[in-house]
Amino acid sequence: MTFPQQPQQPQYPQYPQGPAPQYPQSQFPQQLQQPNRNPFFEWLQRAKRDFSRIGASLCLMVIIWYAGVFLLKGVVRAVAGGVGAGGDMPNWMTFLISDVPLYLIAMPVAVALMGKSTVIETRKFNMKPGMFFKLLLMCLPMMWVGSMVGSMLSLALSDGEATNRVADLAMQTNIWNVVFLVILGPIFEEWMFRKQLIDHTRKYGEKTAILLSGLAFGLFHMNLFQFFYAFLLGVMFGYIYMRTSKLRYSTAMHMIINFNGGVLAPWILTRVDLDQLDKVSQAAENGNVAAMEQWASQNATGLAIMLVYFLLYGAVILVGFVLLIRNFRKAEFYTAPEELPRGVRAKTVYGNVGMVTFIVLTVLLTAISLFL
């Protein structure tokens, strides 16, 4: 997956090249060069502290988000006379209560706590429309596979009792799905999980930054139905941002995918009376075939629209699979100025207090949402 402009390599800061491992020698205080001190160990410790601070920032983001949602729900119920106490809250209010604390408070606070000491500047590249469309097609099978795995695992772990609340919310098709799911969500989430996370970690390795971005994005949803496809899409979006250093491309893809899943697909499903289908299916099993024929005639237009949609969707997923297989090994990565060695990479990135706390917290909240 290359981008057809030259030069390809990002403009990382130039550091004097020393003996392996190659990391910026100028970063070390003079006292670290004294005898009996291990500069490599000190560098790894500093990198671990950087990742721990990022993990702690993400953890605090989740805590502030949940606290804000809890407070806003209490205010709404107090002012509106118990609205939402029985699950009857309109979807625009649900979006507002969830997104305001996250986008306007939690995310900015987390970014501020990350600091800017690890951010490096890189050159920006444009992406041609053909490449954009090609990568977008490759996103679709990743989302489909991830969605299938998440759904099957969620239902298996909950004995078929779990429900995808996000999907249920999206089924309330109206303009607010467009505002919150298609526009605001992708803008803020790409800003946080692509630009901020990757900008803060890419100096330690491009693959390291991309995988962390995808994992954090998947965990952030705290929904097992969404985790796997969010992780895979996060990796793809991270690669796109890494190679272009422009947020517009991953954000546009995110918007298109959310439009399909949060607006188009729910609208198509509502063209058919699925609740009535269950009843007539039972009647047909008992020998009342006329009921099924009557339902089919009443929903003929909706069934035709649904058939065309799923045929087209299946075709683009198949094309996306082919493109993924043909282009997977063509992905380009470049050595970062402080590339973490393989033997200590995972331990440095994830084996610290901040990251462990973030992972444990989000996994715990995911489990709670699955069984409650």
Side-chain angles (χ1 to χ4, degrees):
M1 288 181 283
T2 61
F3 295 96
Q5 66 277 320
Q6 297 292 337
Q8 298 285 341
Q9 187 165 358
Q11 186 178 4
Y12 287 126
Q14 297 299 313
Y15 294 98
Q17 298 298 309
Q22 295 178 353
Y23 48 82
Q25 300 294 327
S26 60
Q27 297 286 325
F28 299 113
Q30 187 63 35
Q31 63 267 25
L32 296 184
Q33 309 300 327
Q34 298 174 358
N36 302 323
R37 300 298 294 270
N38 188 332
F40 178 68
F41 175 78
E42 295 289 346
W43 170 65
L44 286 180
Q45 290 299 107
R46 176 170 57 80
K48 182 178 288 190
R49 288 194 298 270
D50 289 339
F51 283 103
S52 184
R53 184 174 64 251
I54 291 171
S57 300
L58 293 173
C59 188
L60 184 60
M61 178 187 73
V62 173
I63 294 173
I64 293 174
W65 179 21
Y66 268 64
V69 169
F70 178 80
L71 291 174
L72 277 182
K73 280 186 177 180
V75 170
V76 168
R77 289 171 182 172
V79 173
V83 171
D88 58 347
M89 189 179 294
N91 72 334
W92 68 265
M93 187 177 292
T94 302
F95 284 130
L96 200 64
I97 289 174
S98 176
D99 292 352
V100 166
L102 175 63
Y103 299 155
L104 300 186
I105 303 175
M107 283 185 174
V109 169
V111 172
L113 291 176
M114 289 181 190
K116 294 185 176 180
S117 60
T118 60
V119 177
I120 57 177
E121 295 295 329
T122 59
R123 286 181 293 184
K124 294 178 171 58
F125 297 103
N126 293 320
M127 184 191 299
K128 292 184 178 180
M131 178 61 68
F132 177 90
F133 184 67
K134 179 179 178 181
L135 292 170
L136 177 62
L137 288 176
M138 294 165 65
C139 287
L140 297 179
M142 299 171 74
M143 182 171 183
W144 182 77
V145 170
S147 180
M148 292 294 292
V149 172
S151 296
M152 290 188 293
L153 189 57
S154 297
L155 294 174
L157 292 176
S158 64
D159 293 328
E161 297 295 325
T163 59
N164 189 347
R165 298 176 183 176
V166 175
D168 294 341
L169 185 64
M171 288 301 294
Q172 302 179 40
T173 54
N174 53 43
I175 189 62
W176 300 111
N177 288 19
V178 176
V179 173
F180 289 98
L181 292 179
V182 180
I183 300 175
L184 295 180
I187 290 174
F188 282 95
E189 290 173 10
E190 291 305 304
W191 173 77
M192 181 70 200
F193 292 98
R194 248 57 66 189
K195 179 170 178 55
Q196 298 302 331
L197 271 187
I198 289 179
D199 283 0
H200 280 81
T201 57
R202 69 189 302 166
K203 80 170 187 176
Y204 291 117
E206 293 189 346
K207 293 181 181 178
T208 296
I210 291 171
L211 289 175
L212 176 60
S213 171
L215 179 63
F217 186 56
L219 291 172
F220 153 80
H221 285 79
M222 289 170 281
N223 182 340
L224 191 56
F225 284 95
Q226 295 179 284
F227 170 76
F228 294 97
Y229 75 72
F231 167 71
L232 293 174
L233 289 178
V235 170
M236 176 62 85
F237 294 160
Y239 178 78
I240 291 167
Y241 178 72
M242 183 69 72
R243 292 280 65 85
T244 63
S245 293
K246 289 186 176 181
L247 207 57
R248 67 184 67 165
Y249 303 115
S250 62
T251 302
M253 289 186 188
H254 198 156
M255 287 180 173
I256 293 170
I257 289 172
N258 277 18
F259 176 80
N260 176 65
V263 177
L264 181 59
W267 179 84
I268 289 174
L269 290 175
T270 57
R271 299 308 92 192
V272 176
D273 190 346
L274 297 177
D275 294 332
Q276 188 66 23
L277 176 61
D278 292 334
K279 297 178 182 179
V280 298
S281 297
Q282 294 176 0
E285 291 176 359
N286 295 327
N288 188 0
V289 180
M292 177 62 76
E293 293 176 349
Q294 182 181 4
W295 178 88
S297 63
Q298 292 173 347
N299 294 269
T301 302
L303 287 172
I305 294 173
M306 185 180 296
L307 178 62
V308 171
Y309 171 78
F310 282 113
L311 286 175
L312 290 175
Y313 191 56
V316 296
I317 286 177
L318 181 60
V319 172
F321 268 122
V322 173
L323 291 173
L324 268 176
I325 294 171
R326 293 181 59 183
N327 292 276
F328 180 76
R329 295 187 179 277
K330 296 180 182 179
E332 292 185 349
F333 298 96
Y334 299 96
T335 302
E338 296 187 54
E339 188 89 21
L340 291 170
R342 284 191 176 185
V344 297
R345 186 179 302 163
K347 184 178 180 180
T348 302
V349 176
Y350 303 105
N352 54 73
V353 174
M355 282 295 175
V356 169
T357 304
F358 170 67
I359 293 172
V360 170
L361 175 63
T362 50
V363 169
L364 179 61
L365 292 173
T366 300
I368 292 174
S369 70
L370 183 65
F371 296 105
L372 293 183

